[in-house]
Amino acid sequence: MQREAMLRNIRERRDPWDIAVIGGGATGMGVAVDAASRGLDVVLVEAYDFGKGTSSRSTKLVHGGVRYLEQGNVPLVMSALKERGLLRQNAPHLVHDLAFVVPNYSWWEAPFYGIGLKLYDLLAGKYGFGPSKLLSKEETLERLPALEPEELRGGVVYYDGQFDDSRLLIHLAMTAADHGATVVNYCPATGLLRDDEGYVNGLTARDAETGEELSMHARIVVNATGVFTDSIRRMADAEAETLVVTSQGIHLVFDRSFLKGDTALMVPRTSDGRVLFVIPWHGHAVAGTTDTPLDAPSLEPRPLDEEIEFILETAGRYLTRPPTRADVLSVYVGLRPLVKGEGKTSALSRDHVIHVDPSGLLTITGGKWTTYRHMAEDCVDHCITLGRLRDVPCRTRDLRIHGYLYSRAGQSGAEIEDWRSASDALAVYGADAEAIRGLAQSDAALGETLDTDLPYKGAEIVWAAREEMARSVEDALARRTRALFLNAKSAIAMAPAAARLLARELGRGNDWVDAQLAEFKELARQYQV
Ligand SMILES: Cc1cc2nc3c(=O)[nH]c(=O)nc-3n(C[C@H](O)[C@H](O)[C@H](O)COP(=O)(O)OP(=O)(O)OC[C@H]3O[C@@H](n4cnc5c(N)ncnc54)[C@H](O)[C@@H]3O)c2cc1C
């Protein structure tokens, strides 16, 4: 996946593309994978880095959504549970099952949650990850040794999926490229092109690195820009009504000792009527999330003090060692694109929506990471009809995602976690791990970890620049590795070494290194509390 080669494809293209996608998050990249694997010609432009938006900032769950079951949205839960199964099947190197315990402190909770989670199992059908079960107090504490034991009666264990969101996104970009798609980061769409009758038939974009103006004609243009959806729609129609509203969710990351063991904690009803997870992830504990309506989206949303306090307070009620602000290693914030409706944002539609404007611009938004494949299938089916494209059936149900490693399929979450943390920090690269290991062995400096608090090595930075289109220190430390999301201080410590390695790979000088370091430090400060 080479950025210069991608740009060349765009410059040299004479015929219209079948589909041009705006937005390189889960939704847009899913569309690129689906279209390319059907043999359609697809180009995708992303304004910043792939996954810079919401798609790197999720709770990292591949799930049906226990909460939506409570809201009675059975079709949404069933469809997501099926997608959960397909994703584990197609990306076993990135998705594994994880045990969750709902602790019971009142007499009525065991039957109540026990029955609800049996329904969750039932709806998964053949895509089930393992049966839920009632636990005694001792069994609950065995699974969650860090849980507050006082007045604990027992618990319910159930299974869902877990993943690394931006790693999956990069592997989706590579899958799209493997099937012939052209995908470019740092290339914002700046306008829409129109035919003689006023229908959208392409877009203009700018290479943010050089300022070069690019134009792409396409039979259909897909707007997959998440919380920025309406700004693209207003390029076609300045009067377009608001389709998407924004809600913010934050996560706090702690040392793993706050959640001993390999089981996640699920708090089924917080004081604001939501759920809260504390989950093991890459050797740390991630707690979240919140649901705070916002007036306007931004690229680097900030956590509110009350959101931080809410998570500390809620998690603290369930853990023997309540975390404090001083224990927060990183805080990250994501913005939900919710399809507009009335009332509180947590009750707005979590289903995806396909919307066609009178200009012919097709917008896809809403949904969740877990359902990206299904959303893409639906979107490309619409593109085929609207754009009068070759009618090729969807191929992604069994399509292996870049890095696929069969030997990992079928292992339990705990086995994979052990193997990840103990033996191989490169496991998430799947089949690419071998080449990265080779890089690390070829040069002693690349085999060294960049900071003692995290397992990342120089070889991963070089790989990110050579093969994964990383263009900046932030790309390498936030989305190719997850350093910034796991431990902001450690990410700052590794930035100078990462910048030097990137400069060598990308042919940049000392000024670039200095500017990158200043920019990254400024950004990383926002991930500290
Ligand atoms: C706090 C939180 C937790 C979540 N947890 C989960 C979870 O555990 N599991 C799950 O399944 N789902 C989860 N979700 C939902 C999931 O993360 C989102 O549904 C999904 O990431 C949305 O992807 P997207 O591609 O639509 O948007 P984004 O990832 O935001 O992508 C849109 C992209 O468009 C780009 N863009 C904007 N303007 C332009 C332009 N002019 N030109 C080119 N590109 C442009 C942006 O830079 C951005 O990268 C969570 C969401 C939030 C907020």
Side-chain angles (χ1 to χ4, degrees), residues 122-198:
L122 185 82
L123 294 177
K126 66 176 183 172
Y127 300 102
F129 274 22
S132 60
K133 203 170 89 152
L134 294 182
L135 302 175
S136 66
K137 177 174 178 176
E138 290 67 35
E139 287 169 326
T140 303
L141 288 171
E142 211 170 286
R143 284 183 174 270
L144 281 177
L147 195 64
E148 174 55 56
E150 217 179 302
E151 292 186 39
L152 180 72
R153 288 168 170 259
V156 189
V157 62
Y158 74 97
Y159 297 87
D160 242 326
Q162 189 188 31
F163 75 139
D164 179 329
D165 47 13
S166 67
R167 173 63 25 210
L168 176 59
L169 186 68
I170 298 304
H171 281 187
L172 284 177
M174 293 167 101
T175 308
D178 291 345
H179 285 85
T182 293
V183 296
V184 198
N185 51 2
Y186 295 102
C187 195
T190 49
L192 296 170
L193 301 171
R194 312 265 199 155
D195 67 13
D196 296 341
E197 291 169 81

Side-chain angles (χ1 to χ4, degrees), residues 91-114:
H93 58 302
L94 282 174
V95 179
H96 62 89
D97 47 330
L98 182 66
F100 290 73
V101 166
V102 182
N104 303 152
Y105 290 90
S106 304
W107 65 267
W108 56 269
E109 288 178 310
F112 184 76
Y113 295 117

Side-chain angles (χ1 to χ4, degrees), residues 65-352:
V66 175
R67 189 156 64 90
Y68 312 130
L69 197 58
E70 208 188 350
Q71 293 168 1
N73 197 340
V74 169
L76 177 69
V77 175
M78 268 189 88
S79 147
L81 286 171
K82 179 178 172 186
E83 291 303 319
R84 180 188 74 166
L86 292 179
L87 194 49
R88 187 181 62 170
Q89 166 198 295
N90 297 331
H93 58 302
L94 282 174
V95 179
H96 62 89
D97 47 330
L98 182 66
F100 290 73
V101 166
V102 182
N104 303 152
Y105 290 90
S106 304
W107 65 267
W108 56 269
E109 288 178 310
F112 184 76
Y113 295 117
I115 291 169
L117 289 164
K118 277 288 165 224
L119 177 59
Y120 196 61
D121 295 346
L122 185 82
L123 294 177
K126 66 176 183 172
Y127 300 102
F129 274 22
S132 60
K133 203 170 89 152
L134 294 182
L135 302 175
S136 66
K137 177 174 178 176
E138 290 67 35
E139 287 169 326
T140 303
L141 288 171
E142 211 170 286
R143 284 183 174 270
L144 281 177
L147 195 64
E148 174 55 56
E150 217 179 302
E151 292 186 39
L152 180 72
R153 288 168 170 259
V156 189
V157 62
Y158 74 97
Y159 297 87
D160 242 326
Q162 189 188 31
F163 75 139
D164 179 329
D165 47 13
S166 67
R167 173 63 25 210
L168 176 59
L169 186 68
I170 298 304
H171 281 187
L172 284 177
M174 293 167 101
T175 308
D178 291 345
H179 285 85
T182 293
V183 296
V184 198
N185 51 2
Y186 295 102
C187 195
T190 49
L192 296 170
L193 301 171
R194 312 265 199 155
D195 67 13
D196 296 341
E197 291 169 81
Y199 290 113
V200 170
N201 71 346
L203 61 94
T204 54
R206 189 181 59 250
D207 177 351
E209 292 192 354
T210 60
E212 179 185 359
E213 300 289 340
L214 300 157
S215 93
M216 288 150 252
H217 280 97
R219 296 191 202 286
I220 187 126
V221 176
V222 172
N223 170 18
T225 50
V227 291
F228 301 99
T229 288
D230 290 321
S231 63
I232 301 293
R233 291 179 57 237
R234 286 177 189 135
M235 287 179 181
D237 173 6
E239 306 297 313
E241 284 206 6
T242 302
L243 184 66
V244 164
V245 294
T246 303
S247 145
Q248 163 164 307
I250 79 156
H251 297 84
L252 303 181
V253 181
F254 305 106
D255 186 85
R256 181 67 167 270
S257 58
F258 283 91
L259 186 73
K260 300 176 190 122
D262 293 318
T263 301
L265 162 67
M266 196 266 219
V267 176
R269 187 163 284 275
T270 57
S271 58
D272 68 345
R274 308 186 68 257
V275 301
L276 186 102
F277 294 100
V278 186
I279 56 172
W281 189 62
H282 288 326
H284 292 70
V286 177
T289 180
T290 53
D291 197 344
T292 310
L294 285 193
D295 289 338
S298 75
L299 205 56
E300 271 301 339
R302 306 283 184 104
L304 303 179
D305 266 346
E306 54 261 38
E307 291 181 297
I308 296 173
E309 292 305 326
F310 171 78
I311 292 183
L312 289 174
E313 201 263 318
T314 309
R317 262 194 272 141
Y318 288 83
L319 300 175
T320 42
R321 181 155 63 105
T324 66
R325 287 178 91 96
D327 298 311
V328 177
L329 300 176
S330 179
V331 51
Y332 66 87
V333 187
L335 299 182
R336 292 179 194 85
L338 294 173
V339 181
K340 197 170 182 306
E342 299 294 322
K344 265 190 87 185
T345 57
S346 61
L348 291 186
S349 175
R350 306 282 163 159
D351 282 318
H352 75 268

